Structure formats: structure tokens, C-alpha cells
Amino acid sequence: MRTFAMGEKARLADLTAATALRVEIAGAATGTDTAAFCFALDADGHIDANRPPVSADRPASLVSAVALVSGGASNASFDVDLDAVAPDVHRLLFVVASVGPDIALDAGSVVLTAGEEAIGAFLMDPSEMKGQRALILGEIYRRDGWRFGAVGQGYRDGLEQLVRDYGADPAVLLGGRAANDDGDRDSDSDAEPVSGSEEEAAVAVEGRPDADAEAERDAAPEPEAVDGGAAGTVAETEIHAETDVRAETETQVETDVRAETEIKYETGADAAGGGTDAATESGAGESAVPGVHTYEGSGDRILRISRPVESGPVVVEITGDGTANFAVWTLNSSLEHDKLLVNEIGAYRGRVLVDERGTATERLKIESDGPWTVVIQPPTAAPWLTGPVSGDGPEVLRWTGPRTVVAMTHAGTSNFMVRAYAESPGQAEDPYLASLANAIGSYDGESIIPAGPCLIEIEADGEWTFTPEPG
């Protein structure tokens, strides 16, 4: 069985040949019950108001080909026939929600089964839940066939907020259930509610990587690090108009520009050629930027990395030029998966945070069918955010201003998550400072950036904009 990290995705065809699946979800909330739901989304990522979710109140849907076969409260089992899903249903969301007013979830998990075999599982880390009253645990969606994704997207305002975010009216779709579970039941359903156990489901998470196998792979020669270079992925700036932005480029020289900065990624010639330094270590302004560590290789590897700072978060630029699945994880001291950094099919370019929660990663696990480049940088190497910025895909920004309002947009189809972390150890009791956005698909909203210095990690699969309010 494959154990998924939050945000990780996989082709279902790589997990099983079966198209009849069972999705088992579980949740717990101290002092109240929980309820399970399966929502069907159209090609635009919206919930049709005429398609209430499959739940204990409406145990089956011919359109989404989903049936609730057991449970419905603290645990639930949904049967899904992928061959029978209507063509206009593009995504199925599996959700658990607290039904008590103002009571947050304590736990959530999803297990995917084909026949008698469990093929995938995702266990939500309680530290990531942060008072959420509804949680999208997993999704099955169309993209070159069917895929499964471990989502972990939470909603502090509960099921009503989730439904509104997907374009439907909670009062119409849920029949008042989202408010306090005392409202009218779905008038379209004449089925009796399916009762289930109120006990908290315990999900066995299996399939951890074998430490001995990883050690054998690690015995192979490791790629040689090239100190001092920022090659591999180069952040470029495109000048538009009227805002002072400071961006640290490949040469790590702080540059003043009047711009709305569009961040793009290009694979440098040196990275593609596989071996030379493309940049020198230099800096200006508040402090010089320490040297970076660049690793180049190809195929599956267990990569031992060096850190440019003794402790605290580091910025990692990753480029992959294969054609199949490209995945990168951090490994903990037991050689088990810790954080999923990349999970894409085909070419990839992006920047992510590592050790933002106080860990000290020494190895990365890379799965690739082509060449790749990994560049480890100190937090001060992230582009400085001082005005409107736009980009496409994953990014890390550095904020040194005061607490302020920021406007954000996203034009992708998958996760859009924006989080703020302390830049240096000891800066805050908890290095996790705030969640600025947590959505799937298109997004247009506002939030508050904590006072800097801090690092903003953006997870996106499409174009985004980030506009702090002028001081």
C-alpha cells in the first residue's frame, strides 16, 4: 500500500487496474459527531446545486456513480465505479466535517481499496488541522485518465464555507445540515439515513519505505555538489511599472527595479550541460548571501545534501526534465518520507521550503526518468516581496515588511496553498505563522501577512498574483 503525503498525487492506473474502488474516510471531533460526504464537481470546479453530496442523508448518486455502503458518521465507506461516472463529473471530493457548532476536527484519514487490497492511504497530521471544522481528505479526478490526490484542505467555517467556495448555496445543497445538523434533510432523498459506528476509526498506515532498501540505493555514488552556484533554476524579472521591488537573481546581487515582478523559471545552460558553476557568491544591502549548494544528476537517487545555514529553513530550487512521474521527498532520520516537495508528471521547475518547521534534513529521495537539478539556498536567497508579484507554479518569497493585507489570485485547477513561516530559528515559538490561502482551483481573495522577516511558501499549479497593500 502506498502512503501519501499531503498534496501528493498519483495515477490510479499506477496503483491498480481496477475501476471499482472503495474509499474509506474517518474523522473525529472531541465532544461532537462527524459526518462524511462525497461531492461531485464539474469541469469548472463547481458543485451543481441539483447534485447534493452522497452522505447518510442521500446514500447514492447515479450521476457520480458513488454509493455510501457503510457508516456515514465518524467513519464511512464509499463505493465508486469509475466506468459509470457521468462525463460531466470531473472531480469527486471526499470530505469529513464536524457537525457540532464551533467544534474543530481532531483527526482525519482516507484509505483507498481495490477489491480486498488497500492501495493508498493518507493520514492527516493533527498539527496541520489548526481548528478546521471541515476537511477535504482526498479527491479522485480526471487528468489523462483518473488520478487520486491526498488533499488535506481545511475550512475553519465548516461545511458551509466549503460549499460556498465551490459555487453552491449551502442552504439549498445541504438542506441546513451545515449549520447545526438540525435542519431539514435533503427533500430529494427518500432513503433512510444509514447509521454507522460513532467510534473514532483507526487507520493503519502501512507501506513505509524500507530502510534497508533505501540504504542500498544510497550506497551508489552521489552527485557532486558545486558550492557557490545558484545554477539550475534562474529567477528572472520582467519589468512592467511603478513599484519598487527587490529581487535577488542568479548572481545574488540585490537589484532595485520599478516593476510588477513576474517570476519565471528557466533551466540555465550550465545546468542543462551538467557540470559548471553559473554564479558567484555575492550580495548587497542588509547582508551578503552565503554560498549555495548545487546538485545535478539523473534518475532515481537518495541525495545527501549540505545546508547553507546551521539551522532553520532553507530554500530549494528544483528542476526536472523527464517525461514520466517526477517526485522529490525529504527523508527523516529513519529514512522515511517526511515532506513531499514535488509530485508532477513531465518537466518541472519550482522553488520550495525545506525544514520550515524546525527539522534538519540531510537527504532527499528523488524519483525521475530524466535529468534533474537541486539547488539548496539560504532563506535570504528567496525573492524579496516589496510590491505586486506574479508567477506560475511553486514559489517562495521573502517578506520583511510590517503586518499588512495582501490580495491573491490563482488561475490553476489544483491546490493553491499559501503559508507563512518564521525566517530564523527562535524568531517565534511556533515557526508556522499563518495560512494565507487554502483552496482548490481558481482563487481571488485577501488575507494578512504577518510582520517580517518571514518566508511565504506558495503551492500552485497555475498562474498567480500576490499584491501586498502599500505601506
Side-chain angles (χ1 to χ4, degrees):
M1 182 180 70
R2 177 169 172 176
T3 301
F4 286 75
M6 185 167 66
E8 189 175 357
K9 305 173 180 66
R11 287 192 179 104
L12 281 174
D14 293 338
L15 302 178
T16 179
T19 56
L21 305 175
R22 176 162 292 183
V23 181
E24 300 174 341
I25 66 174
T30 302
T32 189
D33 294 332
T34 59
F37 304 86
C38 177
F39 291 89
L41 275 59
D42 61 22
D44 295 324
H46 296 149
I47 298 173
D48 189 328
N50 296 317
R51 291 179 183 169
V54 176
S55 66
D57 296 333
R58 186 175 182 266
S61 167
L62 294 177
V63 174
S64 60
V66 174
L68 178 67
V69 294
S70 68
S74 60
N75 63 325
S77 296
F78 295 92
D79 278 357
V80 183
D81 184 355
L82 297 178
D83 290 335
V85 178
D88 60 340
V89 173
H90 285 250
R91 190 179 300 262
L92 301 172
L93 301 181
F94 295 91
V95 175
V96 64
S98 164
V99 300
D102 301 324
I103 298 180
L105 292 163
D106 301 321
S109 61
V110 57
V111 176
L112 198 63
T113 303
E116 299 298 323
E117 180 185 4
I119 59 174
F122 166 53
L123 179 65
M124 187 69 180
D125 184 347
S127 68
E128 296 279 358
M129 302 183 76
K130 300 289 184 180
Q132 312 295 346
R133 294 181 54 228
L135 189 65
I136 302 175
L137 290 167
E139 60 179 354
I140 295 176
Y141 61 100
R142 299 182 191 267
R143 185 176 176 185
D144 301 326
W146 288 101
R147 301 189 184 195
F148 172 76
V151 181
Q153 179 184 348
Y155 294 84
R156 290 180 180 272
D157 292 334
L159 206 58
E160 285 187 329
Q161 180 189 358
L162 184 155
V163 170
R164 279 193 295 268
D165 282 357
Y166 286 98
D169 183 347
V172 174
L173 191 74
L174 303 174
R177 170 149 195 170
N180 55 22
D181 202 36
D182 292 327
D184 296 333
R185 300 300 188 187
D186 184 353
S187 60
D188 292 334
S189 173
D190 52 11
E192 291 296 323
V194 179
S195 61
S197 170
E198 298 299 319
E199 299 175 0
E200 178 179 351
V203 176
V205 180
E206 304 171 356
R208 288 292 192 182
D210 187 288
D212 294 334
E214 299 288 8
E216 289 178 8
R217 291 177 64 182
D218 192 43
E222 296 183 349
E224 182 178 353
V226 183
D227 288 343
T233 304
V234 180
E236 293 190 338
T237 57
E238 176 175 343
I239 310 303
H240 292 301
E242 303 214 323
T243 306
D244 286 334
V245 177
R246 288 175 15 194
E248 290 185 19
T249 66
E250 178 181 355
T251 58
Q252 304 302 337
V253 177
E254 180 183 355
T255 305
D256 288 329
V257 294
R258 294 195 172 280
E260 176 184 9
T261 305
E262 181 177 357
I263 296 173
K264 297 182 178 178
Y265 297 100
E266 294 185 357
T267 303
D270 292 326
T276 60
D277 241 344
T280 58
E281 177 187 337
S282 63
E286 294 180 357
S287 62
V289 177
V292 302
H293 303 287
T294 300
Y295 305 85
E296 297 171 338
S298 183
D300 297 348
R301 296 303 299 271
I302 303 298
L303 177 67
R304 189 184 295 274
I305 61 173
S306 297
R307 294 173 50 86
V309 292
E310 290 185 6
S311 60
V314 294
V315 178
V316 181
E317 292 183 3
I318 301 174
T319 302
D321 289 319
T323 58
N325 194 61
F326 179 52
V328 182
W329 293 266
T330 63
L331 297 178
N332 63 20
S333 58
S334 300
L335 296 180
E336 295 178 333
H337 290 176
D338 189 7
K339 179 182 179 181
L340 179 69
L341 303 180
V342 179
N343 184 41
E344 291 293 337
I345 295 174
Y348 172 87
R349 293 165 181 81
R351 186 185 279 114
V352 296
L353 273 180
V354 168
D355 295 337
E356 70 278 7
R357 291 184 180 271
T359 52
T361 299
E362 296 182 352
R363 301 190 191 199
L364 302 180
K365 179 181 178 182
I366 300 173
E367 294 182 357
S368 174
D369 71 332
W372 45 259
T373 302
V374 174
V375 184
I376 313 295
Q377 300 178 330
T380 50
W384 287 29
L385 173 67
T386 60
V389 62
S390 63
D392 189 343
E395 180 57 288
V396 177
L397 302 174
R398 185 175 185 235
W399 173 251
T400 59
R403 181 178 175 89
T404 191
V405 175
V406 61
M408 297 168 287
T409 66
H410 179 235
T413 60
S414 190
N415 290 354
F416 179 61
M417 304 174 73
V418 183
R419 295 187 176 99
Y421 296 93
E423 181 180 301
S424 58
Q427 178 181 331
E429 182 176 346
D430 184 354
Y432 172 80
L433 301 179
S435 173
L436 278 63
N438 189 351
I440 294 178
S442 298
Y443 178 84
D444 187 347
E446 295 181 337
S447 189
I448 297 174
I449 309 178
C454 63
L455 298 170
I456 311 296
E457 184 177 42
I458 300 173
E459 178 182 339
D461 75 330
E463 296 180 351
W464 49 263
T465 64
F466 206 84
T467 308
E469 190 173 90

